[in-house]
Structure formats: structure tokens, C-alpha cells
Amino acid sequence: MIKFIKIAPYDTGKLRSDSFEYAQALLSQTINPPAIEIGSLILPEADIIFCSPLKRAQQSAAKSLSPEIVTIDQLAEIRFDISMFTNSDQYQKFGSSVIRQAFVKAFIKNGLEQPLQDLESETEHLLDLLNMNNQNVIAISHSFRMKVIEAYILSNKQLFREPTLIKNFINTDTKLYEFKTGFSLVYN
């Protein structure tokens, strides 16, 4: 069983005067803010925890009782430049829904910082790595990464061949996952 859990809360920049620029820096990973609640994830027992290498993800797992925590790049947030698909005025007017809309557009147009073909290979490799026979595995990651993994599985691995399928899995009006929540799967 693999349990994907979104990181603990961190400063998302909503209250900052430069909130669009801050969001842009987060999504391009030019900044790496800490978790607000270090070690605040209450994790179920696991044989191993895999974690995004970003500071806020590692700090989310800090007090885990797992025998091993392994950081892997394939759990980092998916990078993209939101300024290619929206602007500060739209962000100020509509909030985070504009970022989700931008991600959907970027995904469909193959406009992420990583080509979809590479993202598919990375997702397959990640799932193979996490699929540790009869072990309980936890993967701590970020919203867009988790949603792409979930959509890939639920689309019977067709997501990258038909990128418009992402629209079926992302409701741009609501958060993808609340902090410290996620989904579980058995992957074969």
C-alpha cells in the first residue's frame, strides 16, 4: 500500500503584497520556504517514507517514527512558470484558482518546465520505486505532483498520451488537497 500525503502548512504568500511573484517563485522553486509546523504530520506506521527534497516536505516528516526517510527528486513539486499562463491582476482577482487553471493549461500545452514524456517516465519510475511488495510506504509530496500521479493511475496510464484528461481530475475552483491529506493506492 502506498499512501500519498501532502506536506504540512507553509507560507503560501497569500497575505504578501507581492503574492503573485511569491507564488511564481514557489512554483519555479527559486525559493524553498520552511514548513510552519515542523514535524506536524501524524503519519501512520510505515516501513519506509519517501519524501520530496524540498525543505517544507522534509520538515513535515521530521518527527516520523519510520525506520527510514528517503528523499527523492520525483516527489518534488512540478515546476512551471505561471507568468506564461496568467498574470498578477488575474491572480489578485481570482486567487489560487488561477494557478490551478495555469497548471491545467501548461500541462495540456506541454508547457511545464519538464516535457510530458519525461514526466511520464519519471512517474512510472517513481511508482515502481514506491511499489515495495507487501510494505507500507508513505510518500510526502506536493499538490500538483500528487494530482498528476493520481490522474495517471485513474486514467489507466493514459494521462500523458491524452493530456486534456487532466481536466477530469483538477477542479480549478477548489484546492487539490488540504495540507496533511492525500490518497492511498495499491499499484501493480
Side-chain angles (χ1 to χ4, degrees), residues 149-187:
I149 293 166
E150 185 179 28
Y152 180 68
I153 302 278
L154 294 175
S155 69
N156 294 315
K157 301 182 179 183
Q158 295 305 303
L159 179 65
F160 297 103
R161 287 167 184 69
E162 298 176 48
T164 57
L165 288 173
I166 196 71
K167 292 179 182 180
N168 298 337
F169 300 98
I170 294 180
N171 177 348
T172 59
D173 294 329
T174 59
K175 285 184 178 182
L176 302 180
Y177 305 96
E178 295 293 333
F179 289 114
K180 304 182 194 181
T181 68
F183 64 95
S184 297
L185 64 90
V186 177
Y187 180 74

PDB file of all heavy atoms in Angstrom, residues 149-187:
ATOM      1  N   ILE A 149       0.041  12.132 -10.343  1.00  0.00           N
ATOM      2  CA  ILE A 149       0.179  10.696 -10.060  1.00  0.00           C
ATOM      3  C   ILE A 149      -1.199  10.046  -9.959  1.00  0.00           C
ATOM      4  O   ILE A 149      -1.450   9.002 -10.569  1.00  0.00           O
ATOM      5  CB  ILE A 149       0.991  10.471  -8.768  1.00  0.00           C
ATOM      6  CG1 ILE A 149       2.439  10.911  -8.977  1.00  0.00           C
ATOM      7  CG2 ILE A 149       0.913   9.012  -8.322  1.00  0.00           C
ATOM      8  CD1 ILE A 149       3.238  11.047  -7.697  1.00  0.00           C
ATOM      9  N   GLU A 150      -2.080  10.667  -9.207  1.00  0.00           N
ATOM     10  CA  GLU A 150      -3.432  10.123  -9.048  1.00  0.00           C
ATOM     11  C   GLU A 150      -4.155  10.047 -10.398  1.00  0.00           C
ATOM     12  O   GLU A 150      -4.771   9.030 -10.736  1.00  0.00           O
ATOM     13  CB  GLU A 150      -4.215  10.984  -8.062  1.00  0.00           C
ATOM     14  CG  GLU A 150      -5.590  10.443  -7.743  1.00  0.00           C
ATOM     15  CD  GLU A 150      -6.341  11.303  -6.755  1.00  0.00           C
ATOM     16  OE1 GLU A 150      -6.103  12.533  -6.689  1.00  0.00           O
ATOM     17  OE2 GLU A 150      -7.189  10.745  -6.043  1.00  0.00           O
ATOM     18  N   ALA A 151      -4.066  11.112 -11.187  1.00  0.00           N
ATOM     19  CA  ALA A 151      -4.721  11.134 -12.502  1.00  0.00           C
ATOM     20  C   ALA A 151      -4.126  10.094 -13.443  1.00  0.00           C
ATOM     21  O   ALA A 151      -4.848   9.466 -14.227  1.00  0.00           O
ATOM     22  CB  ALA A 151      -4.607  12.535 -13.111  1.00  0.00           C
ATOM     23  N   TYR A 152      -2.833   9.905 -13.371  1.00  0.00           N
ATOM     24  CA  TYR A 152      -2.165   8.901 -14.202  1.00  0.00           C
ATOM     25  C   TYR A 152      -2.718   7.509 -13.903  1.00  0.00           C
ATOM     26  O   TYR A 152      -3.057   6.754 -14.817  1.00  0.00           O
ATOM     27  CB  TYR A 152      -0.658   8.965 -13.942  1.00  0.00           C
ATOM     28  CG  TYR A 152       0.151   7.969 -14.732  1.00  0.00           C
ATOM     29  CD1 TYR A 152       0.274   8.085 -16.109  1.00  0.00           C
ATOM     30  CD2 TYR A 152       0.819   6.925 -14.096  1.00  0.00           C
ATOM     31  CE1 TYR A 152       1.038   7.176 -16.834  1.00  0.00           C
ATOM     32  CE2 TYR A 152       1.585   6.025 -14.813  1.00  0.00           C
ATOM     33  CZ  TYR A 152       1.689   6.152 -16.181  1.00  0.00           C
ATOM     34  OH  TYR A 152       2.437   5.258 -16.898  1.00  0.00           O
ATOM     35  N   ILE A 153      -2.833   7.187 -12.632  1.00  0.00           N
ATOM     36  CA  ILE A 153      -3.362   5.874 -12.234  1.00  0.00           C
ATOM     37  C   ILE A 153      -4.832   5.752 -12.638  1.00  0.00           C
ATOM     38  O   ILE A 153      -5.235   4.756 -13.245  1.00  0.00           O
ATOM     39  CB  ILE A 153      -3.234   5.684 -10.705  1.00  0.00           C
ATOM     40  CG1 ILE A 153      -1.800   5.825 -10.262  1.00  0.00           C
ATOM     41  CG2 ILE A 153      -3.859   4.370 -10.267  1.00  0.00           C
ATOM     42  CD1 ILE A 153      -0.920   4.664 -10.400  1.00  0.00           C
ATOM     43  N   LEU A 154      -5.632   6.751 -12.294  1.00  0.00           N
ATOM     44  CA  LEU A 154      -7.081   6.679 -12.550  1.00  0.00           C
ATOM     45  C   LEU A 154      -7.439   6.745 -14.033  1.00  0.00           C
ATOM     46  O   LEU A 154      -8.527   6.328 -14.421  1.00  0.00           O
ATOM     47  CB  LEU A 154      -7.816   7.777 -11.777  1.00  0.00           C
ATOM     48  CG  LEU A 154      -7.766   7.632 -10.246  1.00  0.00           C
ATOM     49  CD1 LEU A 154      -8.422   8.840  -9.576  1.00  0.00           C
ATOM     50  CD2 LEU A 154      -8.430   6.336  -9.799  1.00  0.00           C
ATOM     51  N   SER A 155      -6.533   7.266 -14.851  1.00  0.00           N
ATOM     52  CA  SER A 155      -6.777   7.308 -16.297  1.00  0.00           C
ATOM     53  C   SER A 155      -6.221   6.069 -17.002  1.00  0.00           C
ATOM     54  O   SER A 155      -6.098   6.050 -18.226  1.00  0.00           O
ATOM     55  CB  SER A 155      -6.156   8.565 -16.912  1.00  0.00           C
ATOM     56  OG  SER A 155      -4.737   8.496 -16.892  1.00  0.00           O
ATOM     57  N   ASN A 156      -5.901   5.050 -16.227  1.00  0.00           N
ATOM     58  CA  ASN A 156      -5.300   3.830 -16.783  1.00  0.00           C
ATOM     59  C   ASN A 156      -4.053   4.137 -17.595  1.00  0.00           C
ATOM     60  O   ASN A 156      -3.853   3.611 -18.694  1.00  0.00           O
ATOM     61  CB  ASN A 156      -6.319   3.052 -17.615  1.00  0.00           C
ATOM     62  CG  ASN A 156      -7.436   2.520 -16.763  1.00  0.00           C
ATOM     63  OD1 ASN A 156      -7.208   1.983 -15.690  1.00  0.00           O
ATOM     64  ND2 ASN A 156      -8.670   2.711 -17.217  1.00  0.00           N
ATOM     65  N   LYS A 157      -3.234   5.027 -17.057  1.00  0.00           N
ATOM     66  CA  LYS A 157      -1.953   5.416 -17.648  1.00  0.00           C
ATOM     67  C   LYS A 157      -2.097   6.136 -18.993  1.00  0.00           C
ATOM     68  O   LYS A 157      -1.158   6.154 -19.792  1.00  0.00           O
ATOM     69  CB  LYS A 157      -1.023   4.212 -17.779  1.00  0.00           C
ATOM     70  CG  LYS A 157      -0.710   3.538 -16.468  1.00  0.00           C
ATOM     71  CD  LYS A 157       0.256   2.398 -16.669  1.00  0.00           C
ATOM     72  CE  LYS A 157       0.589   1.722 -15.335  1.00  0.00           C
ATOM     73  NZ  LYS A 157       1.577   0.666 -15.510  1.00  0.00           N
ATOM     74  N   GLN A 158      -3.233   6.742 -19.233  1.00  0.00           N
ATOM     75  CA  GLN A 158      -3.451   7.450 -20.493  1.00  0.00           C
ATOM     76  C   GLN A 158      -3.206   8.952 -20.390  1.00  0.00           C
ATOM     77  O   GLN A 158      -3.234   9.659 -21.395  1.00  0.00           O
ATOM     78  CB  GLN A 158      -4.889   7.197 -20.990  1.00  0.00           C
ATOM     79  CG  GLN A 158      -5.156   5.752 -21.354  1.00  0.00           C
ATOM     80  CD  GLN A 158      -4.158   5.236 -22.373  1.00  0.00           C
ATOM     81  OE1 GLN A 158      -4.016   5.792 -23.456  1.00  0.00           O
ATOM     82  NE2 GLN A 158      -3.435   4.183 -22.016  1.00  0.00           N
ATOM     83  N   LEU A 159      -2.991   9.459 -19.199  1.00  0.00           N
ATOM     84  CA  LEU A 159      -2.903  10.899 -18.965  1.00  0.00           C
ATOM     85  C   LEU A 159      -1.905  11.608 -19.873  1.00  0.00           C
ATOM     86  O   LEU A 159      -2.210  12.651 -20.441  1.00  0.00           O
ATOM     87  CB  LEU A 159      -2.545  11.172 -17.496  1.00  0.00           C
ATOM     88  CG  LEU A 159      -2.393  12.641 -17.110  1.00  0.00           C
ATOM     89  CD1 LEU A 159      -3.729  13.365 -17.242  1.00  0.00           C
ATOM     90  CD2 LEU A 159      -1.850  12.764 -15.707  1.00  0.00           C
ATOM     91  N   PHE A 160      -0.735  11.059 -20.039  1.00  0.00           N
ATOM     92  CA  PHE A 160       0.294  11.736 -20.819  1.00  0.00           C
ATOM     93  C   PHE A 160       0.080  11.571 -22.319  1.00  0.00           C
ATOM     94  O   PHE A 160       0.578  12.362 -23.108  1.00  0.00           O
ATOM     95  CB  PHE A 160       1.686  11.250 -20.398  1.00  0.00           C
ATOM     96  CG  PHE A 160       1.990  11.569 -18.965  1.00  0.00           C
ATOM     97  CD1 PHE A 160       1.920  10.588 -17.990  1.00  0.00           C
ATOM     98  CD2 PHE A 160       2.309  12.857 -18.583  1.00  0.00           C
ATOM     99  CE1 PHE A 160       2.182  10.880 -16.658  1.00  0.00           C
ATOM    100  CE2 PHE A 160       2.582  13.163 -17.258  1.00  0.00           C
ATOM    101  CZ  PHE A 160       2.509  12.174 -16.297  1.00  0.00           C
ATOM    102  N   ARG A 161      -0.667  10.579 -22.714  1.00  0.00           N
ATOM    103  CA  ARG A 161      -1.000  10.385 -24.127  1.00  0.00           C
ATOM    104  C   ARG A 161      -2.165  11.283 -24.536  1.00  0.00           C
ATOM    105  O   ARG A 161      -2.283  11.669 -25.688  1.00  0.00           O
ATOM    106  CB  ARG A 161      -1.337   8.928 -24.387  1.00  0.00           C
ATOM    107  CG  ARG A 161      -0.108   8.037 -24.361  1.00  0.00           C
ATOM    108  CD  ARG A 161      -0.454   6.562 -24.308  1.00  0.00           C
ATOM    109  NE  ARG A 161       0.701   5.711 -24.189  1.00  0.00           N
ATOM    110  CZ  ARG A 161       1.492   5.599 -23.127  1.00  0.00           C
ATOM    111  NH1 ARG A 161       1.266   6.336 -22.082  1.00  0.00           N
ATOM    112  NH2 ARG A 161       2.520   4.782 -23.112  1.00  0.00           N
ATOM    113  N   GLU A 162      -3.041  11.574 -23.561  1.00  0.00           N
ATOM    114  CA  GLU A 162      -4.197  12.457 -23.782  1.00  0.00           C
ATOM    115  C   GLU A 162      -4.190  13.523 -22.681  1.00  0.00           C
ATOM    116  O   GLU A 162      -4.967  13.444 -21.728  1.00  0.00           O
ATOM    117  CB  GLU A 162      -5.491  11.655 -23.716  1.00  0.00           C
ATOM    118  CG  GLU A 162      -5.615  10.571 -24.767  1.00  0.00           C
ATOM    119  CD  GLU A 162      -6.887   9.749 -24.578  1.00  0.00           C
ATOM    120  OE1 GLU A 162      -7.958  10.357 -24.413  1.00  0.00           O
ATOM    121  OE2 GLU A 162      -6.784   8.516 -24.592  1.00  0.00           O
ATOM    122  N   PRO A 163      -3.337  14.519 -22.801  1.00  0.00           N
ATOM    123  CA  PRO A 163      -3.165  15.500 -21.729  1.00  0.00           C
ATOM    124  C   PRO A 163      -4.445  16.240 -21.321  1.00  0.00           C
ATOM    125  O   PRO A 163      -4.546  16.696 -20.193  1.00  0.00           O
ATOM    126  CB  PRO A 163      -2.125  16.470 -22.280  1.00  0.00           C
ATOM    127  CG  PRO A 163      -1.446  15.747 -23.381  1.00  0.00           C
ATOM    128  CD  PRO A 163      -2.418  14.743 -23.901  1.00  0.00           C
ATOM    129  N   THR A 164      -5.404  16.337 -22.223  1.00  0.00           N
ATOM    130  CA  THR A 164      -6.656  17.023 -21.858  1.00  0.00           C
ATOM    131  C   THR A 164      -7.410  16.280 -20.755  1.00  0.00           C
ATOM    132  O   THR A 164      -8.292  16.855 -20.116  1.00  0.00           O
ATOM    133  CB  THR A 164      -7.584  17.219 -23.072  1.00  0.00           C
ATOM    134  OG1 THR A 164      -7.856  15.944 -23.658  1.00  0.00           O
ATOM    135  CG2 THR A 164      -6.955  18.157 -24.103  1.00  0.00           C
ATOM    136  N   LEU A 165      -7.056  15.022 -20.504  1.00  0.00           N
ATOM    137  CA  LEU A 165      -7.683  14.272 -19.410  1.00  0.00           C
ATOM    138  C   LEU A 165      -7.446  14.933 -18.054  1.00  0.00           C
ATOM    139  O   LEU A 165      -8.208  14.710 -17.115  1.00  0.00           O
ATOM    140  CB  LEU A 165      -7.158  12.827 -19.368  1.00  0.00           C
ATOM    141  CG  LEU A 165      -7.621  11.896 -20.476  1.00  0.00           C
ATOM    142  CD1 LEU A 165      -6.886  10.562 -20.398  1.00  0.00           C
ATOM    143  CD2 LEU A 165      -9.127  11.685 -20.395  1.00  0.00           C
ATOM    144  N   ILE A 166      -6.414  15.749 -17.952  1.00  0.00           N
ATOM    145  CA  ILE A 166      -6.121  16.408 -16.676  1.00  0.00           C
ATOM    146  C   ILE A 166      -7.329  17.220 -16.203  1.00  0.00           C
ATOM    147  O   ILE A 166      -7.554  17.369 -15.006  1.00  0.00           O
ATOM    148  CB  ILE A 166      -4.838  17.273 -16.751  1.00  0.00           C
ATOM    149  CG1 ILE A 166      -4.324  17.627 -15.349  1.00  0.00           C
ATOM    150  CG2 ILE A 166      -5.046  18.522 -17.574  1.00  0.00           C
ATOM    151  CD1 ILE A 166      -3.735  16.486 -14.590  1.00  0.00           C
ATOM    152  N   LYS A 167      -8.124  17.723 -17.143  1.00  0.00           N
ATOM    153  CA  LYS A 167      -9.328  18.497 -16.791  1.00  0.00           C
ATOM    154  C   LYS A 167     -10.317  17.669 -15.979  1.00  0.00           C
ATOM    155  O   LYS A 167     -11.104  18.219 -15.211  1.00  0.00           O
ATOM    156  CB  LYS A 167     -10.032  19.005 -18.047  1.00  0.00           C
ATOM    157  CG  LYS A 167      -9.274  20.046 -18.813  1.00  0.00           C
ATOM    158  CD  LYS A 167     -10.092  20.436 -20.033  1.00  0.00           C
ATOM    159  CE  LYS A 167      -9.405  21.429 -20.902  1.00  0.00           C
ATOM    160  NZ  LYS A 167     -10.221  21.789 -22.083  1.00  0.00           N
ATOM    161  N   ASN A 168     -10.305  16.359 -16.161  1.00  0.00           N
ATOM    162  CA  ASN A 168     -11.211  15.481 -15.414  1.00  0.00           C
ATOM    163  C   ASN A 168     -10.789  15.310 -13.961  1.00  0.00           C
ATOM    164  O   ASN A 168     -11.565  14.802 -13.155  1.00  0.00           O
ATOM    165  CB  ASN A 168     -11.285  14.098 -16.067  1.00  0.00           C
ATOM    166  CG  ASN A 168     -11.828  14.142 -17.464  1.00  0.00           C
ATOM    167  OD1 ASN A 168     -12.532  15.062 -17.852  1.00  0.00           O
ATOM    168  ND2 ASN A 168     -11.464  13.152 -18.259  1.00  0.00           N
ATOM    169  N   PHE A 169      -9.581  15.698 -13.626  1.00  0.00           N
ATOM    170  CA  PHE A 169      -9.036  15.429 -12.304  1.00  0.00           C
ATOM    171  C   PHE A 169      -8.726  16.687 -11.494  1.00  0.00           C
ATOM    172  O   PHE A 169      -8.482  16.597 -10.296  1.00  0.00           O
ATOM    173  CB  PHE A 169      -7.771  14.569 -12.424  1.00  0.00           C
ATOM    174  CG  PHE A 169      -8.055  13.251 -13.079  1.00  0.00           C
ATOM    175  CD1 PHE A 169      -7.800  13.065 -14.429  1.00  0.00           C
ATOM    176  CD2 PHE A 169      -8.614  12.215 -12.357  1.00  0.00           C
ATOM    177  CE1 PHE A 169      -8.082  11.850 -15.047  1.00  0.00           C
ATOM    178  CE2 PHE A 169      -8.900  10.997 -12.961  1.00  0.00           C
ATOM    179  CZ  PHE A 169      -8.635  10.818 -14.315  1.00  0.00           C
ATOM    180  N   ILE A 170      -8.719  17.832 -12.153  1.00  0.00           N
ATOM    181  CA  ILE A 170      -8.452  19.082 -11.436  1.00  0.00           C
ATOM    182  C   ILE A 170      -9.654  19.999 -11.560  1.00  0.00           C
ATOM    183  O   ILE A 170      -9.975  20.459 -12.657  1.00  0.00           O
ATOM    184  CB  ILE A 170      -7.179  19.778 -11.970  1.00  0.00           C
ATOM    185  CG1 ILE A 170      -5.957  18.919 -11.670  1.00  0.00           C
ATOM    186  CG2 ILE A 170      -7.035  21.172 -11.358  1.00  0.00           C
ATOM    187  CD1 ILE A 170      -4.636  19.505 -12.140  1.00  0.00           C
ATOM    188  N   ASN A 171     -10.297  20.234 -10.438  1.00  0.00           N
ATOM    189  CA  ASN A 171     -11.346  21.245 -10.354  1.00  0.00           C
ATOM    190  C   ASN A 171     -10.627  22.534  -9.974  1.00  0.00           C
ATOM    191  O   ASN A 171     -10.148  22.664  -8.848  1.00  0.00           O
ATOM    192  CB  ASN A 171     -12.390  20.865  -9.304  1.00  0.00           C
ATOM    193  CG  ASN A 171     -13.458  21.918  -9.136  1.00  0.00           C
ATOM    194  OD1 ASN A 171     -13.337  23.039  -9.627  1.00  0.00           O
ATOM    195  ND2 ASN A 171     -14.513  21.563  -8.439  1.00  0.00           N
ATOM    196  N   THR A 172     -10.552  23.462 -10.899  1.00  0.00           N
ATOM    197  CA  THR A 172      -9.751  24.663 -10.669  1.00  0.00           C
ATOM    198  C   THR A 172     -10.339  25.576  -9.591  1.00  0.00           C
ATOM    199  O   THR A 172      -9.659  26.480  -9.114  1.00  0.00           O
ATOM    200  CB  THR A 172      -9.550  25.459 -11.972  1.00  0.00           C
ATOM    201  OG1 THR A 172     -10.822  25.825 -12.504  1.00  0.00           O
ATOM    202  CG2 THR A 172      -8.774  24.628 -12.990  1.00  0.00           C
ATOM    203  N   ASP A 173     -11.577  25.329  -9.184  1.00  0.00           N
ATOM    204  CA  ASP A 173     -12.214  26.165  -8.167  1.00  0.00           C
ATOM    205  C   ASP A 173     -11.942  25.703  -6.740  1.00  0.00           C
ATOM    206  O   ASP A 173     -12.294  26.406  -5.794  1.00  0.00           O
ATOM    207  CB  ASP A 173     -13.733  26.222  -8.397  1.00  0.00           C
ATOM    208  CG  ASP A 173     -14.081  26.943  -9.685  1.00  0.00           C
ATOM    209  OD1 ASP A 173     -13.331  27.864 -10.076  1.00  0.00           O
ATOM    210  OD2 ASP A 173     -15.092  26.578 -10.308  1.00  0.00           O
ATOM    211  N   THR A 174     -11.361  24.528  -6.555  1.00  0.00           N
ATOM    212  CA  THR A 174     -11.114  24.025  -5.203  1.00  0.00           C
ATOM    213  C   THR A 174      -9.675  23.530  -5.081  1.00  0.00           C
ATOM    214  O   THR A 174      -9.051  23.127  -6.064  1.00  0.00           O
ATOM    215  CB  THR A 174     -12.066  22.857  -4.841  1.00  0.00           C
ATOM    216  OG1 THR A 174     -11.875  21.795  -5.775  1.00  0.00           O
ATOM    217  CG2 THR A 174     -13.523  23.292  -4.866  1.00  0.00           C
ATOM    218  N   LYS A 175      -9.174  23.544  -3.849  1.00  0.00           N
ATOM    219  CA  LYS A 175      -7.836  23.029  -3.587  1.00  0.00           C
ATOM    220  C   LYS A 175      -7.745  21.575  -4.028  1.00  0.00           C
ATOM    221  O   LYS A 175      -8.723  20.828  -3.916  1.00  0.00           O
ATOM    222  CB  LYS A 175      -7.524  23.082  -2.089  1.00  0.00           C
ATOM    223  CG  LYS A 175      -7.233  24.449  -1.565  1.00  0.00           C
ATOM    224  CD  LYS A 175      -6.847  24.333  -0.099  1.00  0.00           C
ATOM    225  CE  LYS A 175      -6.485  25.684   0.461  1.00  0.00           C
ATOM    226  NZ  LYS A 175      -6.069  25.567   1.865  1.00  0.00           N
ATOM    227  N   LEU A 176      -6.594  21.185  -4.483  1.00  0.00           N
ATOM    228  CA  LEU A 176      -6.399  19.798  -4.901  1.00  0.00           C
ATOM    229  C   LEU A 176      -6.411  18.882  -3.687  1.00  0.00           C
ATOM    230  O   LEU A 176      -7.043  17.827  -3.700  1.00  0.00           O
ATOM    231  CB  LEU A 176      -5.088  19.650  -5.668  1.00  0.00           C
ATOM    232  CG  LEU A 176      -4.963  20.520  -6.923  1.00  0.00           C
ATOM    233  CD1 LEU A 176      -3.626  20.271  -7.597  1.00  0.00           C
ATOM    234  CD2 LEU A 176      -6.103  20.265  -7.880  1.00  0.00           C
ATOM    235  N   TYR A 177      -5.687  19.263  -2.644  1.00  0.00           N
ATOM    236  CA  TYR A 177      -5.635  18.524  -1.381  1.00  0.00           C
ATOM    237  C   TYR A 177      -5.432  19.548  -0.275  1.00  0.00           C
ATOM    238  O   TYR A 177      -4.688  20.512  -0.455  1.00  0.00           O
ATOM    239  CB  TYR A 177      -4.453  17.535  -1.327  1.00  0.00           C
ATOM    240  CG  TYR A 177      -4.409  16.566  -2.470  1.00  0.00           C
ATOM    241  CD1 TYR A 177      -3.620  16.822  -3.582  1.00  0.00           C
ATOM    242  CD2 TYR A 177      -5.158  15.396  -2.445  1.00  0.00           C
ATOM    243  CE1 TYR A 177      -3.578  15.942  -4.649  1.00  0.00           C
ATOM    244  CE2 TYR A 177      -5.120  14.507  -3.508  1.00  0.00           C
ATOM    245  CZ  TYR A 177      -4.337  14.788  -4.604  1.00  0.00           C
ATOM    246  OH  TYR A 177      -4.292  13.924  -5.657  1.00  0.00           O
ATOM    247  N   GLU A 178      -6.023  19.317   0.853  1.00  0.00           N
ATOM    248  CA  GLU A 178      -5.725  20.123   2.027  1.00  0.00           C
ATOM    249  C   GLU A 178      -4.352  19.690   2.540  1.00  0.00           C
ATOM    250  O   GLU A 178      -3.916  18.566   2.282  1.00  0.00           O
ATOM    251  CB  GLU A 178      -6.786  19.908   3.108  1.00  0.00           C
ATOM    252  CG  GLU A 178      -8.184  20.383   2.721  1.00  0.00           C
ATOM    253  CD  GLU A 178      -8.296  21.889   2.554  1.00  0.00           C
ATOM    254  OE1 GLU A 178      -7.511  22.636   3.186  1.00  0.00           O
ATOM    255  OE2 GLU A 178      -9.161  22.322   1.775  1.00  0.00           O
ATOM    256  N   PHE A 179      -3.684  20.556   3.271  1.00  0.00           N
ATOM    257  CA  PHE A 179      -2.424  20.164   3.889  1.00  0.00           C
ATOM    258  C   PHE A 179      -2.656  18.923   4.748  1.00  0.00           C
ATOM    259  O   PHE A 179      -3.700  18.766   5.376  1.00  0.00           O
ATOM    260  CB  PHE A 179      -1.866  21.285   4.779  1.00  0.00           C
ATOM    261  CG  PHE A 179      -1.346  22.457   3.997  1.00  0.00           C
ATOM    262  CD1 PHE A 179      -1.973  23.688   4.075  1.00  0.00           C
ATOM    263  CD2 PHE A 179      -0.223  22.331   3.190  1.00  0.00           C
ATOM    264  CE1 PHE A 179      -1.489  24.778   3.358  1.00  0.00           C
ATOM    265  CE2 PHE A 179       0.261  23.408   2.465  1.00  0.00           C
ATOM    266  CZ  PHE A 179      -0.376  24.638   2.548  1.00  0.00           C
ATOM    267  N   LYS A 180      -1.698  18.036   4.754  1.00  0.00           N
ATOM    268  CA  LYS A 180      -1.686  16.813   5.571  1.00  0.00           C
ATOM    269  C   LYS A 180      -2.729  15.779   5.152  1.00  0.00           C
ATOM    270  O   LYS A 180      -3.043  14.881   5.912  1.00  0.00           O
ATOM    271  CB  LYS A 180      -1.880  17.144   7.057  1.00  0.00           C
ATOM    272  CG  LYS A 180      -0.888  18.126   7.633  1.00  0.00           C
ATOM    273  CD  LYS A 180      -1.194  18.301   9.120  1.00  0.00           C
ATOM    274  CE  LYS A 180      -0.519  19.474   9.729  1.00  0.00           C
ATOM    275  NZ  LYS A 180      -0.828  19.593  11.153  1.00  0.00           N
ATOM    276  N   THR A 181      -3.290  15.898   3.949  1.00  0.00           N
ATOM    277  CA  THR A 181      -4.231  14.892   3.450  1.00  0.00           C
ATOM    278  C   THR A 181      -3.674  14.309   2.172  1.00  0.00           C
ATOM    279  O   THR A 181      -2.662  14.756   1.651  1.00  0.00           O
ATOM    280  CB  THR A 181      -5.626  15.491   3.170  1.00  0.00           C
ATOM    281  OG1 THR A 181      -5.537  16.399   2.056  1.00  0.00           O
ATOM    282  CG2 THR A 181      -6.186  16.211   4.383  1.00  0.00           C
ATOM    283  N   GLY A 182      -4.363  13.328   1.644  1.00  0.00           N
ATOM    284  CA  GLY A 182      -3.902  12.712   0.402  1.00  0.00           C
ATOM    285  C   GLY A 182      -4.765  11.574  -0.035  1.00  0.00           C
ATOM    286  O   GLY A 182      -5.991  11.603   0.133  1.00  0.00           O
ATOM    287  N   PHE A 183      -4.142  10.542  -0.550  1.00  0.00           N
ATOM    288  CA  PHE A 183      -4.859   9.373  -1.050  1.00  0.00           C
ATOM    289  C   PHE A 183      -3.978   8.151  -0.924  1.00  0.00           C
ATOM    290  O   PHE A 183      -2.752   8.261  -0.785  1.00  0.00           O
ATOM    291  CB  PHE A 183      -5.304   9.583  -2.506  1.00  0.00           C
ATOM    292  CG  PHE A 183      -4.158   9.727  -3.488  1.00  0.00           C
ATOM    293  CD1 PHE A 183      -3.686   8.620  -4.191  1.00  0.00           C
ATOM    294  CD2 PHE A 183      -3.555  10.957  -3.700  1.00  0.00           C
ATOM    295  CE1 PHE A 183      -2.634   8.740  -5.082  1.00  0.00           C
ATOM    296  CE2 PHE A 183      -2.492  11.087  -4.601  1.00  0.00           C
ATOM    297  CZ  PHE A 183      -2.044   9.984  -5.295  1.00  0.00           C
ATOM    298  N   SER A 184      -4.597   7.002  -0.968  1.00  0.00           N
ATOM    299  CA  SER A 184      -3.868   5.736  -0.896  1.00  0.00           C
ATOM    300  C   SER A 184      -4.122   4.939  -2.167  1.00  0.00           C
ATOM    301  O   SER A 184      -5.174   5.080  -2.799  1.00  0.00           O
ATOM    302  CB  SER A 184      -4.346   4.901   0.309  1.00  0.00           C
ATOM    303  OG  SER A 184      -4.079   5.572   1.501  1.00  0.00           O
ATOM    304  N   LEU A 185      -3.181   4.081  -2.500  1.00  0.00           N
ATOM    305  CA  LEU A 185      -3.389   3.211  -3.640  1.00  0.00           C
ATOM    306  C   LEU A 185      -2.571   1.943  -3.508  1.00  0.00           C
ATOM    307  O   LEU A 185      -1.574   1.896  -2.804  1.00  0.00           O
ATOM    308  CB  LEU A 185      -3.058   3.926  -4.948  1.00  0.00           C
ATOM    309  CG  LEU A 185      -1.617   4.396  -5.218  1.00  0.00           C
ATOM    310  CD1 LEU A 185      -0.835   3.304  -5.928  1.00  0.00           C
ATOM    311  CD2 LEU A 185      -1.648   5.624  -6.066  1.00  0.00           C
ATOM    312  N   VAL A 186      -3.063   0.939  -4.181  1.00  0.00           N
ATOM    313  CA  VAL A 186      -2.294  -0.283  -4.382  1.00  0.00           C
ATOM    314  C   VAL A 186      -1.933  -0.262  -5.833  1.00  0.00           C
ATOM    315  O   VAL A 186      -2.796  -0.173  -6.709  1.00  0.00           O
ATOM    316  CB  VAL A 186      -3.128  -1.537  -4.019  1.00  0.00           C
ATOM    317  CG1 VAL A 186      -2.329  -2.788  -4.312  1.00  0.00           C
ATOM    318  CG2 VAL A 186      -3.544  -1.487  -2.569  1.00  0.00           C
ATOM    319  N   TYR A 187      -0.662  -0.275  -6.137  1.00  0.00           N
ATOM    320  CA  TYR A 187      -0.192  -0.129  -7.515  1.00  0.00           C
ATOM    321  C   TYR A 187       0.437  -1.435  -7.977  1.00  0.00           C
ATOM    322  O   TYR A 187       1.268  -2.017  -7.304  1.00  0.00           O
ATOM    323  CB  TYR A 187       0.827   1.013  -7.598  1.00  0.00           C
ATOM    324  CG  TYR A 187       1.344   1.229  -8.983  1.00  0.00           C
ATOM    325  CD1 TYR A 187       0.535   1.823  -9.944  1.00  0.00           C
ATOM    326  CD2 TYR A 187       2.627   0.848  -9.341  1.00  0.00           C
ATOM    327  CE1 TYR A 187       1.008   2.025 -11.234  1.00  0.00           C
ATOM    328  CE2 TYR A 187       3.105   1.050 -10.618  1.00  0.00           C
ATOM    329  CZ  TYR A 187       2.288   1.641 -11.553  1.00  0.00           C
ATOM    330  OH  TYR A 187       2.750   1.844 -12.828  1.00  0.00           O
TER     331      TYR A 187
END
